[in-house]
Amino acid sequence: MFFHFDSDLTSVLLFDLGVALAFLALAALADPRNPLERVAFSIVTAASLALYLCWRLLDTLPDLEPTAESLWPYVYFSFEAISIVYAVASVLILCRTTDWTAEADAAESELAASGRYPSVAVFICTYNEPIHILEKSAVCAKAMDYPDFQVYVCDDTRRPEVREYCETIGVNYITRPDNRHAKAGNLNNALQLTNKERPSELIMVLDADFAPQANFLKRVVGLFRNQRIGIVQTPQFYFNADPIQHNLHIASSFVDDQRVFFDTFQPAKDAVECAFCVGTSFVVRRSMVNEIGGFPHEALSEDMLLSYRLMERGYITRWLNEKLSVGLSAEGIPEYITQRTRWCLGTIQIGLLKDGPLWRGRFTLRQRFHYLHGLFCWLSKPFILCLLFAPSIYWLFGISALQADELLFMKYGISSLLVFWVYASWISGKRTLPLFTEVTHALTALPVTLTLLQAIRRPFGRPFKVTEKGGDRARMRVHLPTALFFGLVTVLSGLSVLQTVLAWNAPTDFSEREILNLVWSLVSMTIAFVSLLVCIELPRYGQEEVIDVSLDGQYRQAGQTVDVSIGGLSADRVRIPGLDATRTDDAAVYLPQIGWVRIAEIHEAGGGLTILPTTEQRNGILSLLFGVSRAQIAERGSLRASMAGLLRRAFVG
């Protein structure tokens, strides 16, 4: 058995290698902040994808007949075409971008000079989140540096302990007798009450697990001097690793899957006034919300719909791409999937509304195009399933998804894929990585596809399902449905390769088609296996993430004084280098801005300890940890470090 590489195959592989090297050199020399270079790279990438799509359409499809051999290539191509159209649309959208930092600076200075600060009502939406989650948002919101605002905790589960907690820290508590219209209904209840009592000019909305920085309002509010701005939205950042980062040991080397959307796509959409609200960490004009009859509730994605309701009235959502809040990412695979399927169905529902952007409503062609771009993001997910199963279908049933000249596919298809990979990494500032980005898409491919099928039959009527956060995850968990799916793909792909290569009747000379499908099987097996690892969720010790904060502090016991740094807050752990003590009588730690904090327990020599802060001190520690910007999770990717984390996870655990 051997692989026969003829001169034609060798020349094609050399061509692909040359294309990859040329575009890597281009990415190293070009600057995405340069408008001309950004447009040039985008156009070349879009042209490469379009050329491949045209070739697939014109030269690779068999005659259409009612047979599996004929229909399967058409099914595969249909979903592939949707994905390519989405990719081309993405590249065209990314030709432009915005950065409103200078505008925010000028607006903040103007506010300070005038001394006239618009009043703000801060709505913190909570549904069953435990107090140790809610307290970060409530305490940090109350500690914001702004002269005129009120904080309202909007509790949709009517919990006496939350009411009591709000009274303790001095923020307003709002509830209602039912949960009609879910989060939108919760916001509208708060809107109506404050319309009567204290109607502020602006409304800030936070989810219960998002803590704002002290300067949030001062950075955002000044932008409303532009009367066309209805919403100022800031990106979501997280202080914990999502399931992919955590379970693959890549929290410090791979970004969460929403970073590209927040940091790359939303500024590009903002450049043509098509950015939209993402549900938390935003500020909106009260008058405009009242004008449209309150926060819209007709779709599960009430945040996105809010932007579209204002958009059709000529108002825009301004994207201020600054890290002004930090929140809790989905901690497990079930919660991760729940979020994505809700966003998928919510996007579909917005388009299907009688005045939505899909066919009616008062929207421009550009606004409809940007809506379709978001819709195609979800419609492209079934292609991932086709991609994973196609090689196994070939080996098991002899039906090829790609009935084309394999050398031409390697020339057009592989080269365009390499170009797109290089472009995606370049335009996003290394926020995408081969394999790992594919895994993030693969994890939700099946549930999103099932959601799309359900939407065909019944697009409306599905209840709003809140993403659960803050639970005890001290034990290893396996998300069985998703794990079984990826286990099946891994086994099918692996057996296909083994049977083809090692069977007693295995061919001694492989054709180009067989070589292509062997490589395809290996790629499919790799993506499925890594996805399977993600589904076997590693423990997260404690209910809090460890936050690294360096402080100049002191430890006081028997006359000793040493430096300290905070390592976390779940048990109020504090790291003290070099400390060797077994007694905690009359012991305390001095933390700047906090004061002397009592020590309850020393866990080990030179290790952690438990402290007993007062309520006021605990609130100060919360503000210290979550009320300022910290690089807790990676904001750029490293392929080498991510591969090292993956190998450690695969072979060590």
Side-chain angles (χ1 to χ4, degrees):
M1 180 200 69
F2 62 92
F3 296 115
H4 176 63
F5 291 90
D6 58 25
S7 59
D8 290 338
L9 178 58
T10 302
S11 63
V12 169
L13 293 176
L14 288 174
F15 172 81
D16 289 340
L17 178 61
V19 168
L21 292 175
F23 275 85
L24 284 171
L26 178 60
L29 296 173
D31 186 351
R33 294 169 297 182
N34 183 301
L36 183 60
E37 295 174 1
R38 188 182 184 98
V39 170
F41 206 155
S42 297
I43 289 176
V44 171
T45 304
S48 173
L49 293 169
L51 177 63
Y52 170 72
L53 181 61
C54 290
W55 172 74
R56 285 281 284 121
L57 176 64
L58 298 175
D59 291 346
T60 68
L61 295 176
D63 294 334
L64 185 59
E65 298 175 355
T67 63
E69 292 80 1
S70 174
L71 293 177
W72 170 231
Y74 276 92
V75 171
Y76 182 89
F77 171 74
S78 298
F79 289 115
E80 182 185 23
I82 291 173
S83 297
I84 295 174
V85 169
Y86 169 68
V88 171
S90 298
V91 171
L92 295 178
I93 286 172
L94 294 175
C95 283
R96 299 176 61 183
T97 191
T98 55
D99 182 357
W100 296 102
T101 301
E103 174 72 10
D105 290 341
E108 184 178 2
S109 298
E110 182 180 304
L111 276 178
S114 68
R116 196 275 178 190
Y117 289 89
S119 57
V120 181
V122 182
F123 293 167
I124 301 176
C125 300
T126 177
Y127 182 91
N128 223 27
E129 291 87 358
I131 288 180
H132 75 87
I133 296 295
L134 173 63
E135 66 176 350
K136 299 178 180 65
S137 180
V139 168
C140 291
K142 188 173 183 293
M144 285 190 294
D145 180 19
Y146 192 79
D148 189 4
F149 72 101
Q150 291 285 329
V151 177
Y152 300 85
V153 171
C154 308
D155 178 22
D156 233 11
T157 37
R158 298 164 287 281
R159 291 167 289 171
E161 64 271 21
V162 174
R163 178 189 292 273
E164 182 179 344
Y165 174 74
C166 291
E167 292 174 353
T168 300
I169 65 170
V171 299
N172 300 285
Y173 176 84
I174 294 178
T175 190
R176 57 182 178 141
D178 57 47
N179 301 110
R180 192 165 181 260
H181 298 149
K183 182 179 177 181
N186 193 11
L187 286 169
N188 282 326
N189 179 62
L191 175 70
Q192 293 166 9
L193 288 175
T194 54
N195 275 342
K196 298 174 183 177
E197 298 173 359
R198 283 180 282 190
S200 61
E201 297 175 62
L202 302 172
I203 296 172
M204 175 182 178
V205 177
L206 292 169
D207 283 346
D209 56 330
F210 268 83
Q213 293 182 21
N215 65 337
F216 188 107
L217 289 176
K218 285 187 174 179
R219 294 297 296 165
V220 167
V221 165
L223 294 175
F224 284 96
R225 64 183 182 176
N226 181 344
Q227 296 303 311
R228 289 192 61 228
I229 293 177
I231 301 170
V232 176
Q233 176 69 68
T234 66
Q236 297 178 18
F237 286 86
Y238 306 106
F239 59 80
N240 68 315
D242 71 16
I244 299 170
Q245 295 169 313
H246 177 73
N247 296 321
L248 296 182
H249 297 314
I250 55 175
S252 61
S253 58
F254 182 60
V255 304
D256 65 87
D257 72 322
Q258 295 185 75
R259 283 271 58 80
V260 174
F261 172 71
F262 290 139
D263 297 342
T264 307
F265 275 103
Q266 283 281 47
K269 288 177 174 292
D270 180 86
V272 291
E273 300 183 347
C274 289
F276 56 84
C277 177
V278 296
T280 184
S281 306
F282 71 91
V283 179
V284 61
R285 293 184 195 270
R286 180 184 292 266
S287 61
M288 292 184 181
V289 178
N290 286 328
E291 180 183 330
I292 63 174
F295 291 90
H297 56 77
E298 296 87 351
L300 291 176
S301 297
E302 83 294 327
D303 43 13
M304 184 179 180
L305 183 55
L306 174 62
S307 285
Y308 276 97
R309 286 282 183 261
L310 296 180
M311 194 182 292
E312 63 182 344
R313 287 166 171 79
Y315 303 120
I316 61 175
T317 297
R318 172 67 71 235
W319 184 263
L320 179 59
N321 199 29
E322 295 184 10
K323 188 174 184 179
L324 296 175
S325 65
V326 62
L328 186 62
S329 176
E331 299 163 286
I333 290 297
E335 296 81 10
Y336 185 89
I337 290 174
T338 294
Q339 277 187 335
R340 275 68 184 170
T341 54
R342 186 178 71 235
W343 297 341
C344 169
L345 187 56
T347 302
I348 294 171
Q349 289 174 342
I350 290 172
L352 295 178
L353 294 173
K354 63 179 181 180
D355 54 352
L358 190 56
W359 46 59
R360 298 180 183 176
R362 300 187 298 275
F363 298 98
T364 66
L365 287 176
R366 182 172 61 194
Q367 291 166 344
R368 296 181 196 276
F369 170 75
H370 276 259
Y371 168 77
L372 287 172
H373 172 258
L375 181 62
F376 268 55
C377 172
W378 303 112
L379 294 178
S380 64
K381 295 297 184 182
F383 174 62
I384 300 171
L385 301 182
C386 297
L387 193 70
L388 291 174
F389 281 110
S392 296
I393 291 175
Y394 172 78
W395 294 117
L396 294 174
F397 304 105
I399 304 175
S400 177
L402 190 69
Q403 297 185 11
D405 185 303
E406 284 73 23
L407 292 178
L408 285 178
F409 171 76
M410 293 179 190
K411 183 175 182 179
Y412 292 121
I414 302 301
S415 64
S416 64
L417 177 62
L418 293 172
V419 169
F420 185 73
W421 273 351
V422 173
Y423 169 82
S425 177
W426 176 79
I427 198 74
S428 67
K430 295 185 178 179
R431 290 175 176 84
T432 65
L433 294 177
L435 176 60
F436 296 94
T437 299
E438 278 65 41
V439 167
T440 63
H441 295 308
L443 276 169
T444 57
L446 180 59
V448 167
T449 299
L450 294 175
T451 299
L452 292 172
L453 293 174
Q454 292 170 0
I456 294 174
R457 181 178 61 88
R458 185 172 172 241
F460 294 93
R462 180 173 170 176
F464 187 99
K465 190 173 182 181
V466 175
T467 305
E468 296 183 9
K469 296 180 181 179
D472 184 6
R473 300 178 184 274
R475 293 177 297 175
M476 179 177 287
R477 300 182 180 187
V478 178
H479 188 241
L480 197 57
T482 311
L484 288 175
F485 170 74
F486 287 113
L488 173 64
V489 177
T490 303
V491 170
L492 281 177
S493 301
L495 289 178
S496 298
V497 172
L498 292 176
Q499 179 182 358
T500 304
V501 175
L502 301 180
W504 66 271
N505 59 345
T508 59
D509 190 6
F510 287 87
S511 67
E512 282 93 355
R513 177 163 295 183
E514 289 170 329
I515 293 173
L516 175 63
N517 279 280
L518 274 174
V519 174
W520 195 341
S521 295
L522 289 171
V523 171
S524 176
M525 182 176 64
T526 302
I527 293 174
F529 177 69
V530 176
S531 301
L532 175 61
L533 290 178
V534 176
C535 297
I536 304 172
E537 301 190 66
L538 298 176
R540 295 180 188 249
Y541 296 104
Q543 293 182 313
E544 297 282 355
E545 297 288 324
V546 173
I547 309 294
D548 293 325
V549 183
S550 296
L551 293 172
D552 292 328
Q554 298 173 319
Y555 174 78
R556 181 181 66 190
Q557 180 177 346
Q560 296 181 359
T561 301
V562 296
D563 293 337
V564 301
S565 65
I566 293 179
L569 194 60
S570 62
D572 293 329
R573 291 185 297 271
V574 180
R575 301 295 177 191
I576 303 181
L579 175 64
D580 186 5
T582 58
R583 297 175 64 250
T584 60
D585 299 339
D586 193 30
V589 171
Y590 180 80
L591 302 179
Q593 307 173 35
I594 307 299
W596 289 103
V597 183
R598 287 180 55 210
I599 295 176
E601 175 186 356
I602 297 176
H603 300 303
E604 59 186 39
L609 55 81
T610 299
I611 61 177
L612 293 175
T614 64
T615 299
E616 183 179 353
Q617 288 174 333
R618 182 176 180 84
N619 292 343
I621 294 173
L622 285 168
S623 297
L624 195 65
L625 290 177
F626 303 101
V628 295
S629 175
R630 304 196 185 283
Q632 179 71 7
I633 302 297
E635 297 177 16
R636 298 288 190 279
S638 168
L639 184 58
R640 179 182 298 178
S642 295
M643 289 302 299
L646 171 60
L647 293 174
R648 186 168 69 254
R649 172 67 173 93
F651 296 107
V652 180

